[in-house]
Amino acid sequence: MARFPFPSFPNGWFQFAYADELSPGQVMPLEYFGKQLVAFRGDDGAAHVLDAYCPHLGAHLGHGGRVEGDTIRCPFHAWRFDGEGKCVEVPYATRIPPTARLGCWPVIERNGLLLVWHHAEGKAPEFDIPELPEVGHEDWTPYRRLRWKLRTHNQEMAENAVDRAHFHFVHGTMDVPTSEAKAEGHLLRVVSKSKMMTPRGPIDGQISSVNHGFGFGTVRFSGIVETLLVTSVVPIEGEHVDVRFSFSVKKIGNADVTRGVGAALIADIEKQMTEDRPIWENKVYQPRPVLCEEDGPIGVFRRWCQQFYTAQPPSTHGALAAAGAAA
Ligand code: FES
Ligand SMILES: [Fe+2]
């Protein structure tokens, strides 16, 4: 039995870097969705993602490619490509072969993140990612960043939020939290309420999460301290995901107090990740799970998930994107 019997890599927006990791003139090799990709930021400030392998003789543009203006030059024979993947110069030829083009991936910059649109059939973006009011606001701290490579799948990680019983048995919450999930198109909103232990005794804590497809999500914690967690999960090949968690804490008291309270919550999330990890990395996905009535909104979650898959092999992305751009 395949561990993850899903028909394609999921469609959606996925973080490939933080915005400040890619400065103008910089080139970055990427491996996501089972593909080799290259990211670069032109001197005009716009970030681009292209298929990495040069259509000429196959050099990887992420290793030795150089940015010139808003284009990238191949390290092998110096063919030059624009941000849409079109070849704009072959320095030793008079005629540019018309099919000289790299697959181009839509990119947006939001909330300090760079995100790429993946669609298994190369379709254009079907939704947007909103600006978050907390990010960059003077009352909120800059991101604290955590990153993991995990042997699991986007859908498996996302299912955690609606799997209320595991919070008690895996993470040791005082009770089994209540959990309500609502699907609105590409959005899934989940609200969980639970008793949280504090040095001053138990209080009612609330966790509200919004998933924008499988790649980008927000989790807002209230109860002890208001915290925003931006979650980012990207498929690497079929077996692993690249996970980035970015925390911002609402400032309270002086900087030391904020840092202390924020650090406690972040440590707790790190602990939860350590607890979830051995389960995720070794479990299989049960397409027809045997559930009990108290299991919570797992059915709502799984129906929402279906919209992000295309029953097409994912290998056609670049070719179809290029064909679409040429048409
Ligand atoms: S392989 Fe890229 S220019 Fe020849
Ligand atoms: Fe968990």
Side-chain angles (χ1 to χ4, degrees), residues 18-251:
Y18 287 97
D20 61 11
E21 291 175 326
L22 192 68
S23 359
Q26 201 177 331
V27 175
M28 183 186 278
L30 303 173
E31 184 191 354
Y32 289 124
F33 316 102
K35 294 201 155 254
Q36 293 293 320
L37 306 171
V38 59
F40 73 96
R41 198 191 279 280
D43 293 333
D44 60 355
H48 305 281
V49 172
L50 303 175
D51 285 344
Y53 292 126
C54 185
H56 181 219
L57 286 166
H60 192 306
L61 271 82
H63 297 277
R66 283 196 331 271
V67 173
E68 288 185 25
D70 52 2
T71 67
I72 183 168
R73 195 183 285 282
C74 179
F76 206 0
H77 315 91
W79 292 25
R80 201 156 58 81
F81 300 87
D82 68 14
E84 277 73 58
K86 187 169 172 287
C87 181
V88 291
E89 188 195 357
V90 178
Y92 55 91
T94 46
R95 191 176 148 272
I96 298 171
T99 53
R101 151 182 297 283
L102 290 158
C104 168
W105 299 57
V107 170
I108 53 171
E109 196 164 331
R110 293 277 188 289
N111 307 305
L113 319 181
L114 286 166
L115 303 119
V116 71
W117 172 259
H118 169 264
H119 192 287
E121 291 176 290
K123 286 190 182 156
E126 289 163 347
F127 58 89
D128 198 6
I129 299 292
E131 299 281 0
L132 304 173
E134 296 92 337
V135 177
H137 193 287
E138 58 179 18
D139 293 346
W140 290 75
T141 63
Y143 286 145
R144 165 115 193 265
R145 306 171 187 186
L146 298 178
R147 192 167 177 186
W148 301 266
K149 179 180 178 180
L150 302 179
R151 199 171 77 92
T152 185
H153 188 279
N154 288 73
Q155 182 170 331
E156 292 279 68
M157 276 191 73
E159 192 163 275
N160 231 238
V162 291
D163 176 3
R164 53 193 288 261
H166 101 284
F167 285 103
H168 178 64
F169 297 101
V170 176
H171 303 308
T173 56
M174 295 178 68
D175 51 5
V176 172
T178 63
S179 180
E180 279 173 37
K182 212 164 104 213
E184 292 169 19
H186 70 281
L187 301 178
L188 182 78
R189 299 178 193 277
V190 181
V191 177
S192 302
K193 291 183 182 145
S194 176
K195 290 236 176 298
M196 293 162 77
M197 195 37 108
T198 74
R200 282 184 224 104
I203 61 158
D204 290 317
Q206 177 164 313
I207 301 175
S208 309
S209 68
V210 185
N211 289 330
H212 301 245
F214 282 137
F216 176 89
T218 58
V219 186
R220 290 178 171 90
F221 300 84
S222 54
I224 300 176
V225 58
E226 276 190 74
T227 303
L228 166 72
L229 162 59
V230 176
T231 61
S232 153
V233 184
V234 197
I236 299 173
E237 3 67 7
E239 270 282 300
H240 294 86
V241 291
D242 190 3
V243 181
R244 296 176 182 89
F245 277 11
S246 310
F247 294 86
S248 178
V249 180
K250 185 159 189 196
K251 293 177 186 168

